[in-house]
Amino acid sequence: MQCFAERKLALRVCLDGTGHAAIKGRSLVEPFGRTALRGEMTLNCDKKRRRRISSLLMLVGIALALALFAPCTRAQAQSPDGNAGESKPSPDIYKTIYLTNLTQASELNDLQTDLRNMVPRARMYPLPTQNAISIHGAPEDILLAQKIVSDLDRATKIYRLTYTIAETDSGKRLGTEHVALIVASGLKTEFKQGSRVPIVTGTFAAGSSTSNSQVQYVDVGLSIEASVDGYADGLRLRTKVEQSSLAEEKSGMGAQDPVIRQTVLEGTSTLALGKPLVLGSMDLPGSTRKQEIEVVAELVK
């Protein structure tokens, strides 16, 4: 019997006379069932590995498809002219705004100027007879114009100004005159009391021997102008008090030309509501008399 030594397994293999191998120690050839099991396990592992690779490739393919599809979606969402991110402008609308408190032509002009500066894209047309403004523009411009009108079209405050004109002679009061005026904030009120005196300013002949006279009338008496503007807790008063009368002497220019005496007090003052303020005092020329002008303001509404 021949024997051989195998290095890896360190076993002896002997051949008997019939040529069959006899294994001493462990057999080099494993049983067939165990070898088949190992082969099947190897195949299962290969299948799992292939499934994982297929899944990974599928995920990569989906990611690439999404990456390629997203730009197409964004392109479709753009406007027809190809400007991405630009929405189609809203259509213009028309609106007529009626004013409640702004009734003067100057107030309407000021409001129109303000609107044209603040909302330059809108078109505006004032309607003085209707006390309104028509506006044509984008919806956001119309809303802004309505807010501006709401802020400016506020109720005007009304005040009562009472002027007291007192005349004294050597400290003794001779008489007192009271004049009450109703004045709206931002507007002017005028008061006149007296006579209109004719004064001949020239003569001319209209192709005949008879001459015609050119006459101009002059107001003589008491005249008061007043305007107020409210601020903080007081008023800013702009006033002019004028008092005139005919003098006894005559003018040297003509037999019928009168001489007019005139006293004017004009200025700007600050008033506190309910507190009298002396605007000024003056001595009357040609006499010992003195005149003092006082005013007090009250809020009506």
Side-chain angles (χ1 to χ4, degrees):
M1 182 180 295
Q2 298 178 1
C3 297
F4 299 93
E6 207 269 340
R7 291 183 179 180
K8 290 185 179 180
L9 298 177
L11 298 176
R12 291 183 190 177
V13 178
C14 301
L15 296 177
D16 55 10
T18 61
H20 297 283
I23 302 173
K24 294 191 176 185
R26 283 187 313 178
S27 174
L28 287 177
V29 182
E30 295 181 351
F32 177 76
R34 186 179 301 175
T35 304
L37 180 60
R38 285 189 177 182
E40 184 177 356
M41 292 177 63
T42 303
L43 292 175
N44 291 337
C45 293
D46 292 340
K47 289 181 179 180
K48 291 181 180 180
R49 189 178 297 109
R50 283 195 295 271
R51 289 197 192 99
R52 292 176 182 174
I53 293 175
S54 299
S55 300
L56 181 59
L57 291 176
M58 184 180 298
L59 292 177
V60 172
I62 293 173
L64 291 175
L66 291 177
L68 295 175
F69 181 72
C72 298
T73 305
R74 288 195 298 268
Q76 292 177 359
Q78 292 179 359
S79 57
D81 57 357
N83 295 329
E86 293 184 3
S87 59
K88 185 177 180 180
S90 302
D92 291 348
I93 61 175
Y94 164 80
K95 181 74 174 180
T96 298
I97 302 176
Y98 291 91
L99 306 177
T100 304
N101 301 294
L102 303 180
T103 58
Q104 301 295 322
S106 59
E107 296 174 339
L108 184 61
N109 291 334
D110 292 341
L111 177 61
Q112 183 181 358
T113 302
D114 188 15
L115 289 175
R116 285 178 174 173
N117 290 330
M118 297 299 295
V119 194
R121 294 179 298 178
R123 290 179 291 175
M124 303 170 194
Y125 308 93
L127 302 172
T129 57
Q130 299 293 327
N131 200 31
I133 293 180
S134 296
I135 304 177
H136 183 269
E140 57 271 16
D141 293 337
I142 300 296
L143 290 177
L144 178 58
Q146 287 180 314
K147 185 179 185 308
I148 294 174
V149 172
S150 177
D151 292 340
L152 297 180
D153 188 21
R154 297 177 297 176
T156 303
K157 292 185 177 181
I158 306 297
Y159 300 93
R160 178 186 292 109
L161 299 178
T162 302
Y163 289 82
T164 301
I165 303 174
E167 188 173 338
T168 61
D169 188 359
S170 301
K172 182 180 179 181
R173 177 164 292 191
L174 300 178
T176 304
E177 184 178 3
H178 299 283
V179 177
L181 305 178
I182 299 298
V183 184
S185 179
L187 302 178
K188 183 174 71 171
T189 300
E190 297 183 5
F191 170 83
K192 291 184 178 182
Q193 183 183 32
S195 304
R196 292 177 62 85
V197 178
I199 299 177
V200 178
T201 58
T203 59
F204 63 95
S208 63
S209 58
T210 304
S211 61
N212 298 318
S213 300
Q214 185 177 358
V215 179
Q216 180 179 356
Y217 288 86
V218 178
D219 294 329
V220 177
L222 178 63
S223 175
I224 300 176
E225 296 180 1
S227 63
V228 294
D229 295 309
Y231 75 96
D233 297 331
L235 290 176
R236 182 179 291 106
L237 170 65
R238 297 178 179 88
T239 187
K240 179 180 180 181
V241 180
E242 181 178 348
Q243 197 166 22
S244 58
S245 61
L246 294 176
E248 297 179 357
E249 63 269 20
K250 299 298 180 180
S251 172
M253 301 299 297
Q256 296 181 350
D257 292 340
V259 174
I260 299 176
R261 294 175 181 241
Q262 188 180 49
T263 303
V264 179
L265 176 63
E266 184 176 4
T268 302
S269 306
T270 301
L271 297 178
L273 294 178
K275 295 182 179 181
L277 175 67
V278 177
L279 297 176
S281 61
M282 64 199 79
D283 295 329
L284 299 180
S287 66
T288 59
R289 292 179 300 172
K290 184 178 180 179
Q291 203 171 57
E292 185 178 84
I293 302 175
E294 182 183 271
V295 65
V296 62
E298 298 172 327
L299 179 63
V300 176
K301 69 174 183 177

